[in-house]
Amino acid sequence: MMYLLGLAIKSILREKWINLLTSITIGFSLLILSMTIFTVYNIEGVSDKLPEKFTIMVYLKDDLSSDEIIKAQSQVEGKELVKEVLYISKEKAFSELKSNLKGSAFVLEGIEDNPLSPSFEVKIKKELFSVEKVESLIDILQDEPYVEDIDYGRGFLDFVHSFRTAMRAVGIFFTLLIVFAIIFVIYSTVKILFYRRKDEIETYKLLGATAGFIRAPFLIEGGVIGFLGGLFGIAESYAFYYVIVRLGHNIPLIGFMDFPVQFFAVLPVVGLMLGLFGTIFALGRIRF
Amino acid sequence: MMYLLGLAIKSILREKWINLLTSITIGFSLLILSMTIFTVYNIEGVSDKLPEKFTIMVYLKDDLSSDEIIKAQSQVEGKELVKEVLYISKEKAFSELKSNLKGSAFVLEGIEDNPLSPSFEVKIKKELFSVEKVESLIDILQDEPYVEDIDYGRGFLDFVHSFRTAMRAVGIFFTLLIVFAIIFVIYSTVKILFYRRKDEIETYKLLGATAGFIRAPFLIEGGVIGFLGGLFGIAESYAFYYVIVRLGHNIPLIGFMDFPVQFFAVLPVVGLMLGLFGTIFALGRIRF
Amino acid sequence: MITFSNISKIYENHAAVKDINLQINKGELVFVTGASGAGKTTLLKLVYVAEKPDTGSIVIAGYNTSTLKEKSIPFLRRNIGVVFQDFKLLSNKTVYDNIALALRIRGVQEGEIKNRVSNALKLVNLRHRSESYPLTLSGGEQQRVTIARAIVDEPTVLLADEPTGNLDSGNARSIMDIFREINAKGTTIMIATHNHDLFRNTGLRVVQLEEGRLIGETVG
Amino acid sequence: MITFSNISKIYENHAAVKDINLQINKGELVFVTGASGAGKTTLLKLVYVAEKPDTGSIVIAGYNTSTLKEKSIPFLRRNIGVVFQDFKLLSNKTVYDNIALALRIRGVQEGEIKNRVSNALKLVNLRHRSESYPLTLSGGEQQRVTIARAIVDEPTVLLADEPTGNLDSGNARSIMDIFREINAKGTTIMIATHNHDLFRNTGLRVVQLEEGRLIGETVG
Ligand SMILES: Nc1ncnc2c1ncn2[C@@H]1O[C@H](COP(=O)(O)OP(=O)(O)OP(=O)(O)O)[C@@H](O)[C@H]1O
Ligand SMILES: Nc1ncnc2c1ncn2[C@@H]1O[C@H](COP(=O)(O)OP(=O)(O)OP(=O)(O)O)[C@@H](O)[C@H]1O
Ligand SMILES: [Mg+2]
Ligand SMILES: [Mg+2]
């Protein structure tokens, strides 16, 4: 066993060019995998933060008493999805409009009678946020007697939803593609090594070596190549992240991107598994 | 010569695994190159379209006569950078404000005295657009006697400018990285093939072959590998484009992305050149 | 020990070996001779199952090579030492490792390997080259390494294919002495050779091949 | 034609060849003999510049191999046919292509190659195997292909290293006939061999090596 390990290590060093090449290729593939995960992760991250900014404006009927308003507020607050409800009175709405008009605020100066409605600003619980749930909540609120109108970013919500779904699909597609690519690359590398040592293996057989004895060094080699590929993948992913974050430092959107370190830590293990897998494929059945 | 060509073709077929592997690796690298070009190209494209949307609002002093306004307008129109100047009278500005306020427009109802300034909406010539030129134009206009104030998207302009610069830097960085990666990959592939045929080459030498005779098949092989890599690169780039455009069809921003076909058509030539380059490196000097 | 019954081996409608019937008893030393291309190597290959006969059967120590399970072939081969005509030395291993490989494959312990390999090297007079690589050895030296590898595990059967083709008469004689010594200890031996000096006046069986056929048997 | 002056070749502080002084005239046929490891192959390698001497110089047809420009080595080698002890046949080429390679390297036209290769194959009695691959040939057949390749371009100098190691006496004799015929046409020949039968009663020069030293010269 020690001897077979030694054989494998010697072989890896002897064939350092091809092994390096393969590992780097795998590293590259894993980099693309990282980029995919990185992108999908960040998009999920960004859209996970959306609920914090997402609010539903519930415009109330103009003729409600304060008691009715308090009752309505606690009713809305009781909904499972709702995190907090902020009451905005007519007066507050008017002063907000004023400040929004800024320089042109004098246009409001002549107005005595406040024409605006009171409203609830409803915030949604982040952890329960989903497009479907929000829409069913709105359907329920719409039917309440105290509700005049409801305003929310429907198009925006739909966009986020479909964008997320599309990115997930692209992510899965790329991931599968890369897994196959890596297996193929390791498969062909081991195949090359195998063909290259055909004469040597022939001699092994004639000296009475069993299939296991012949296979072992290749399996070790395939595993090591995959593992090294994983390490390269981490290195390249960090480099990529560094470039993105460094060069994109003062670019909004990119500045606050996140790097899921824990995903990339498993790359060598992924490489190792794919390496063994590709090797088993490449060796096939050994005939005597 | 025909014989050497034949040798090279046989060798390519014989070593099909490693050649396929290398070509695919190169294809992959070229895919990343494509993605880089694709991204940079589209960002350039999008930011090239910005000038069409970019306008400078020049607010005029309130007390100008129509003669003065016409003079001023033709003066601004005379500037090299300016494409067209739209005069917006006080009245027009007021009605625009009204329509912007929409539902809340009644707040303006009591106002008799129009408090707004007349203005010029200045559009910039697309083909001359640059951040520096726009800023110097604004500096000049600022000093004109008829100008009250100037309003334009300074922060936005700066952002576009720095984003474009950053993307170009990332693009150049990636391009160089990939060029080196491809040369390295071909270098190591040819090195492998060379080591693998060491005995064969030794025999060639002992039979009186010159360095040129030995090199030729490798050069052909390296070139072909690079060329095939380029073809793979095109195929993968199209696949990538297809996925992006297909899956991103209903996602804004992605929907109108452009695919610079003419760039990708040269990939095989790029591959060929890099292949020859890598091979020359790998062969080094042949000693007898 | 080895029984050839009606053996033929056909390559591309050309018979390398044809209708061979031959019985080799346990502990015998038999020479196979014949011109270049007569089928000597093919006959030996059939014994160590590098080739399978197209007709007939070979039975070694009770096992029929044609019906042997593929998984058992390695274990059959472990009882057969072969001196290959083309040496089949691994050029990336030292002389020591080339010989040790035969034992490592059999799972022998490293300590024991060391002893046995150095004994085998002493026998063929190459102890001083144990750390050399095959390509730095002369033709005759390589041949002797091959011989050392074939005998290092004291096989039940020894097949030697042109074992003295690259050796001067002095070395050839000492190799023959080794073979006879091993033979005396009970190993069954087949030697394929065109070198008549090897069997002249030995009183041993000499089988003659011509174009794949067994055309006669004499005593050397 | 070939002059060895004070030649030594040292591998890892072990002299393969030592203080050799030898003059071979144009048109001569000289045998080099000696035990396994005596330095025969090394001596020939020095002539075709596969090795360079550590001391002394070798002059071939007026060219000193030590001072020869590297670029000229291929052109020197084109005048020397070599029968390598280990054959050096390319296993991925047919017999025909292996022999033709020697001519293609020299830029000979395909039409002429065809004639010359088939003549050479006829000489060594292997015309029927021209489309076979080396690994499907018997040891002796491979050796004859190597000989055919060495003589196919009618070289000025022919170096044959153990050319009959894998050949039976009949084939060996016919190869020697070929060599003598070529020699008669003017080719200078050196044959390294341990097979005394090759030079016995030929009346030709036999140079004796022992542990790298030239210990005597006799007439066969
Ligand atoms: N794999 C093969 N494919 C086709 N023909 C083969 C193969 N192996 C051997 N032969 C042919 O079978 C015949 C017998 O070959 P074999 O190697 O047994 O001869 P041999 O007696 O060992 O000769 P030598 O003394 O030259 O080694 C030869 O003509 C050879 O060319
Ligand atoms: N490349 C090398 N490195 C180290 N030692 C070498 C090398 N080549 C040859 N030798 C040694 O030099 C000595 C002479 O070798 P050479 O091949 O010339 O012998 P030879 O006379 O041809 O023997 P044989 O009849 O066995 O072929 C041998 O001891 C050999 O081991
Ligand atoms: Mg044979
Ligand atoms: Mg020799």
Side-chain angles (χ1 to χ4, degrees):
Chain A
M1 206 47 228
M2 276 306 295
Y3 175 70
L4 293 178
L5 198 72
L7 265 190
I9 290 170
K10 256 191 222 153
S11 159
I12 290 168
L13 294 177
R14 185 163 14 113
E15 315 279 3
K16 57 184 175 303
W17 281 111
I18 188 168
N19 288 332
L20 197 65
L21 175 60
T22 309
S23 292
I24 287 174
T25 308
I26 293 169
F28 249 123
S29 310
L30 288 174
L31 169 65
I32 301 181
L33 190 65
S34 297
M35 284 171 22
T36 310
I37 292 174
F38 177 79
T39 309
V40 171
Y41 179 88
N42 274 294
I43 284 167
E44 300 273 321
V46 167
S47 52
D48 270 352
K49 281 180 198 136
L50 283 179
E52 286 176 7
K53 293 181 180 169
F54 184 78
T55 53
I56 303 171
M57 292 304 297
V58 179
Y59 295 103
L60 303 174
K61 295 225 164 79
D62 212 355
D63 52 5
L64 296 177
S65 70
S66 13
D67 270 7
E68 281 171 317
I69 289 174
I70 288 168
K71 226 180 99 193
Q73 182 166 8
S74 69
Q75 196 198 337
V76 175
E77 267 172 346
K79 306 276 181 209
E80 193 196 356
L81 215 59
V82 174
K83 190 179 153 201
E84 93 185 273
V85 177
L86 211 77
Y87 173 63
I88 299 169
S89 64
K90 284 171 74 143
E91 294 69 35
K92 205 172 162 210
F94 191 62
S95 69
E96 266 178 21
L97 175 62
K98 261 191 197 162
S99 74
N100 281 343
L101 282 171
K102 271 176 218 151
S104 311
F106 45 79
V107 300
L108 298 176
E109 266 160 21
I111 299 173
E112 294 296 298
D113 192 23
N114 181 346
L116 302 175
S117 312
S119 59
F120 288 157
E121 194 177 316
V122 178
K123 295 210 160 143
I124 298 301
K125 276 197 193 124
K126 188 176 151 184
E127 58 278 12
L128 298 178
F129 182 88
S130 94
V131 175
E132 296 74 20
K133 281 189 193 154
V134 169
E135 283 178 349
S136 80
L137 173 67
I138 283 158
D139 282 348
I140 291 168
L141 290 178
Q142 205 94 55
D143 295 339
E144 295 292 342
Y146 48 82
V147 171
E148 169 86 43
D149 196 9
I150 292 182
D151 198 2
Y152 72 105
R154 186 191 187 96
F156 178 71
L157 213 61
D158 283 350
F159 167 69
V160 168
H161 187 64
S162 63
F163 188 66
R164 242 169 110 151
T165 310
M167 283 316 296
R168 276 199 196 128
V170 172
I172 290 168
F173 174 81
F174 265 97
T175 304
L176 285 181
L177 194 78
I178 286 157
V179 165
F180 277 112
I182 291 175
I183 290 178
F184 170 76
V185 164
I186 293 184
Y187 173 84
S188 42
T189 303
V190 173
K191 205 95 191 166
I192 292 166
L193 295 177
F194 197 72
Y195 276 131
R196 191 165 172 182
R197 274 187 256 157
K198 226 172 155 181
D199 296 348
E200 205 179 322
I201 289 166
E202 200 47 45
T203 302
Y204 271 64
K205 286 184 198 163
L206 294 180
L207 294 178
T210 54
F213 192 91
I214 292 169
R215 272 200 194 102
F218 286 100
L219 283 172
I220 297 174
E221 195 158 352
V224 170
I225 292 173
F227 188 79
L228 283 181
L231 293 183
F232 272 116
I234 289 188
E236 287 170 4
S237 298
Y238 266 103
F240 167 74
Y241 173 65
Y242 186 80
V243 167
I244 284 286
V245 166
R246 245 303 157 92
L247 291 175
H249 205 63
N250 39 17
I251 302 173
L253 259 183
I254 289 177
F256 71 93
M257 278 195 172
D258 211 358
F259 189 62
V261 179
Q262 62 282 11
F263 282 156
F264 300 141
V266 304
L267 287 187
V269 178
V270 171
L272 179 73
M273 302 298 292
L274 296 179
L276 292 178
F277 213 68
T279 307
I280 289 168
F281 262 116
L283 293 180
R285 202 168 141 233
I286 291 176
R287 318 200 96 256
F288 289 92
Chain B
M1 206 48 232
M2 276 306 296
Y3 175 68
L4 292 179
L5 198 71
L7 265 190
I9 289 169
K10 255 190 224 155
S11 159
I12 289 168
L13 294 179
R14 185 165 12 114
E15 316 278 2
K16 57 183 175 304
W17 281 110
I18 188 167
N19 288 332
L20 197 65
L21 175 61
T22 308
S23 292
I24 288 175
T25 307
I26 293 168
F28 249 123
S29 310
L30 290 174
L31 169 64
I32 300 181
L33 190 66
S34 297
M35 282 171 25
T36 310
I37 293 173
F38 178 78
T39 308
V40 171
Y41 178 89
N42 275 294
I43 285 168
E44 300 273 320
V46 167
S47 53
D48 271 353
K49 281 179 200 139
L50 283 179
E52 286 176 7
K53 293 183 179 167
F54 184 79
T55 53
I56 304 170
M57 291 305 296
V58 179
Y59 294 103
L60 304 174
K61 295 226 166 75
D62 212 358
D63 52 5
L64 297 177
S65 70
S66 13
D67 272 7
E68 282 171 316
I69 287 172
I70 289 165
K71 228 179 97 194
Q73 182 165 11
S74 69
Q75 196 196 337
V76 176
E77 268 172 344
K79 306 281 181 206
E80 194 197 355
L81 215 58
V82 174
K83 189 179 154 201
E84 93 183 272
V85 177
L86 211 77
Y87 173 64
I88 298 170
S89 66
K90 282 172 74 140
E91 293 70 33
K92 203 173 163 211
F94 192 64
S95 70
E96 266 179 20
L97 174 62
K98 262 193 197 154
S99 73
N100 280 344
L101 281 172
K102 270 177 220 152
S104 311
F106 45 79
V107 300
L108 300 176
E109 267 161 18
I111 300 172
E112 295 295 299
D113 191 24
N114 180 347
L116 301 176
S117 312
S119 60
F120 287 159
E121 195 178 315
V122 179
K123 294 211 160 140
I124 300 301
K125 278 196 192 125
K126 189 175 148 184
E127 57 279 14
L128 298 176
F129 182 89
S130 93
V131 175
E132 296 75 19
K133 281 187 193 155
V134 168
E135 282 179 348
S136 81
L137 173 68
I138 283 161
D139 282 346
I140 293 168
L141 291 178
Q142 204 93 56
D143 297 338
E144 296 292 344
Y146 49 81
V147 170
E148 169 85 40
D149 195 10
I150 293 183
D151 199 2
Y152 72 105
R154 188 192 186 92
F156 178 69
L157 213 60
D158 284 350
F159 167 70
V160 169
H161 186 64
S162 62
F163 187 67
R164 245 169 108 150
T165 311
M167 283 317 295
R168 276 199 195 129
V170 172
I172 290 168
F173 173 82
F174 265 97
T175 305
L176 285 181
L177 193 80
I178 285 157
V179 165
F180 278 112
I182 291 175
I183 290 179
F184 170 77
V185 164
I186 293 185
Y187 173 87
S188 42
T189 304
V190 174
K191 205 95 191 165
I192 292 166
L193 295 178
F194 197 72
Y195 276 131
R196 191 165 173 183
R197 273 187 257 159
K198 227 172 154 181
D199 296 348
E200 203 177 324
I201 290 167
E202 200 47 45
T203 302
Y204 272 63
K205 287 183 196 164
L206 293 179
L207 294 178
T210 55
F213 192 91
I214 292 169
R215 272 201 194 99
F218 287 100
L219 282 173
I220 297 173
E221 194 158 353
V224 170
I225 292 173
F227 188 80
L228 283 182
L231 293 184
F232 273 116
I234 290 187
E236 287 170 4
S237 299
Y238 267 103
F240 168 73
Y241 173 66
Y242 186 79
V243 167
I244 283 287
V245 167
R246 245 307 156 88
L247 290 176
H249 206 64
N250 39 16
I251 302 174
L253 261 182
I254 290 177
F256 72 92
M257 279 195 172
D258 210 359
F259 188 62
V261 179
Q262 64 279 13
F263 282 156
F264 300 141
V266 303
L267 287 187
V269 179
V270 171
L272 179 73
M273 302 297 291
L274 296 179
L276 291 178
F277 213 68
T279 307
I280 289 168
F281 262 117
L283 292 180
R285 206 171 138 231
I286 290 177
R287 319 199 97 256
F288 289 91
Chain C
M1 191 68 186
I2 312 174
T3 309
F4 300 82
S5 320
N6 256 314
I7 284 296
S8 297
K9 175 71 198 175
I10 289 135
Y11 291 118
E12 304 150 7
N13 53 51
H14 156 96
V17 142
K18 205 165 161 88
D19 298 331
I20 302 274
N21 284 292
L22 182 63
Q23 163 82 33
I24 294 170
N25 296 319
K26 190 160 167 51
E28 256 194 307
L29 196 171
V30 177
F31 288 92
V32 180
T33 190
S36 175
K40 305 180 290 294
T41 300
T42 305
L43 198 66
L44 299 187
K45 278 184 180 168
L46 291 165
V47 177
Y48 61 86
V49 209
E51 298 283 6
K52 294 222 169 142
D54 292 309
T55 70
S57 66
I58 299 176
V59 178
I60 310 166
Y63 294 100
N64 185 327
T65 63
S66 307
T67 60
L68 204 65
K69 268 194 239 121
E70 208 172 288
K71 265 170 54 177
S72 310
I73 293 176
F75 301 96
L76 171 66
R77 286 183 182 152
R78 290 183 188 182
N79 295 311
I80 305 176
V82 186
V83 180
F84 302 98
Q85 188 173 11
D86 55 357
F87 308 165
K88 296 199 193 297
L89 296 174
L90 305 179
S91 56
N92 50 26
K93 288 195 195 313
T94 61
V95 165
Y96 179 91
D97 283 331
N98 263 286
I99 299 173
L101 180 62
L103 298 172
R104 286 181 175 135
I105 280 174
R106 289 166 170 85
V108 178
Q109 294 300 307
E110 286 298 320
E112 170 138 18
I113 287 177
K114 206 163 174 180
N115 277 330
R116 290 220 230 158
V117 172
S118 81
N119 281 337
L121 278 173
K122 195 156 50 177
L123 274 179
V124 298
N125 229 327
L126 278 177
R127 226 173 153 178
H128 58 295
R129 298 309 297 266
S130 76
E131 290 312 311
S132 301
Y133 286 88
L135 291 179
T136 71
L137 298 180
S138 80
E141 288 164 347
Q142 289 176 32
Q143 191 153 43
R144 285 180 280 154
V145 174
T146 312
I147 293 167
R149 184 180 57 188
I151 63 175
V152 71
D153 194 43
E154 296 169 4
T156 320
V157 175
L158 178 70
L159 307 174
D161 197 353
E162 214 73 84
T164 61
N166 286 277
L167 295 178
D168 56 290
S169 53
N171 269 297
R173 230 172 297 123
S174 84
I175 292 300
M176 273 312 298
D177 289 345
I178 296 169
F179 286 169
R180 299 206 65 161
E181 201 177 306
I182 292 171
N183 181 236
K185 284 190 197 156
T187 298
T188 309
I189 304 184
M190 282 178 79
I191 302 177
T193 188
H194 57 72
N195 186 351
H196 291 222
D197 291 347
L198 282 193
F199 49 78
R200 197 169 286 144
N201 303 323
T202 55
L204 295 165
R205 281 174 77 187
V206 178
V207 173
Q208 296 231 328
L209 293 183
E210 195 180 295
E211 297 190 349
R213 287 174 192 277
L214 206 161
I215 55 156
E217 196 178 314
T218 58
V219 171
Chain D
M1 191 67 188
I2 311 176
T3 312
F4 299 83
S5 319
N6 255 315
I7 285 295
S8 297
K9 176 69 199 176
I10 290 136
Y11 291 119
E12 304 151 7
N13 54 51
H14 156 94
V17 142
K18 205 165 163 85
D19 297 330
I20 302 274
N21 283 291
L22 182 62
Q23 163 83 34
I24 293 169
N25 297 318
K26 189 161 166 51
E28 257 193 306
L29 195 172
V30 178
F31 288 93
V32 179
T33 190
S36 175
K40 305 179 291 293
T41 301
T42 307
L43 198 68
L44 298 187
K45 278 185 180 168
L46 291 165
V47 177
Y48 61 87
V49 211
E51 298 282 5
K52 294 223 169 141
D54 291 309
T55 70
S57 65
I58 299 176
V59 178
I60 308 167
Y63 295 100
N64 183 326
T65 61
S66 306
T67 60
L68 203 65
K69 267 192 242 123
E70 206 173 288
K71 266 172 48 178
S72 310
I73 292 176
F75 301 97
L76 171 66
R77 285 184 182 151
R78 290 183 189 182
N79 295 310
I80 305 175
V82 186
V83 180
F84 302 98
Q85 188 173 11
D86 54 357
F87 308 163
K88 295 198 192 300
L89 296 174
L90 304 179
S91 56
N92 50 25
K93 287 193 197 317
T94 62
V95 165
Y96 178 91
D97 284 331
N98 263 286
I99 300 173
L101 180 63
L103 298 172
R104 286 179 176 138
I105 280 174
R106 290 165 170 86
V108 177
Q109 295 300 307
E110 287 297 320
E112 171 139 15
I113 287 177
K114 205 163 174 179
N115 276 329
R116 290 220 230 157
V117 172
S118 80
N119 281 337
L121 277 173
K122 193 156 51 179
L123 273 180
V124 298
N125 231 324
L126 278 175
R127 226 172 153 179
H128 57 295
R129 298 308 297 264
S130 76
E131 291 312 312
S132 299
Y133 287 87
L135 291 179
T136 69
L137 298 181
S138 81
E141 287 164 348
Q142 290 178 31
Q143 191 153 42
R144 285 180 280 155
V145 175
T146 312
I147 293 167
R149 182 179 61 186
I151 62 174
V152 72
D153 194 43
E154 296 169 5
T156 323
V157 175
L158 178 69
L159 308 174
D161 198 354
E162 213 75 83
T164 60
N166 285 276
L167 296 179
D168 57 290
S169 52
N171 269 298
R173 228 175 296 124
S174 86
I175 292 299
M176 273 313 295
D177 289 345
I178 297 169
F179 286 169
R180 298 203 68 159
E181 199 178 307
I182 292 171
N183 181 237
K185 286 188 196 157
T187 298
T188 309
I189 304 183
M190 283 178 78
I191 301 176
T193 186
H194 57 70
N195 186 352
H196 292 223
D197 291 346
L198 282 193
F199 50 77
R200 196 169 287 145
N201 303 323
T202 55
L204 295 165
R205 280 174 77 189
V206 179
V207 174
Q208 295 231 327
L209 292 183
E210 195 180 295
E211 297 190 351
R213 287 174 190 278
L214 203 160
I215 56 155
E217 195 176 313
T218 58
V219 171

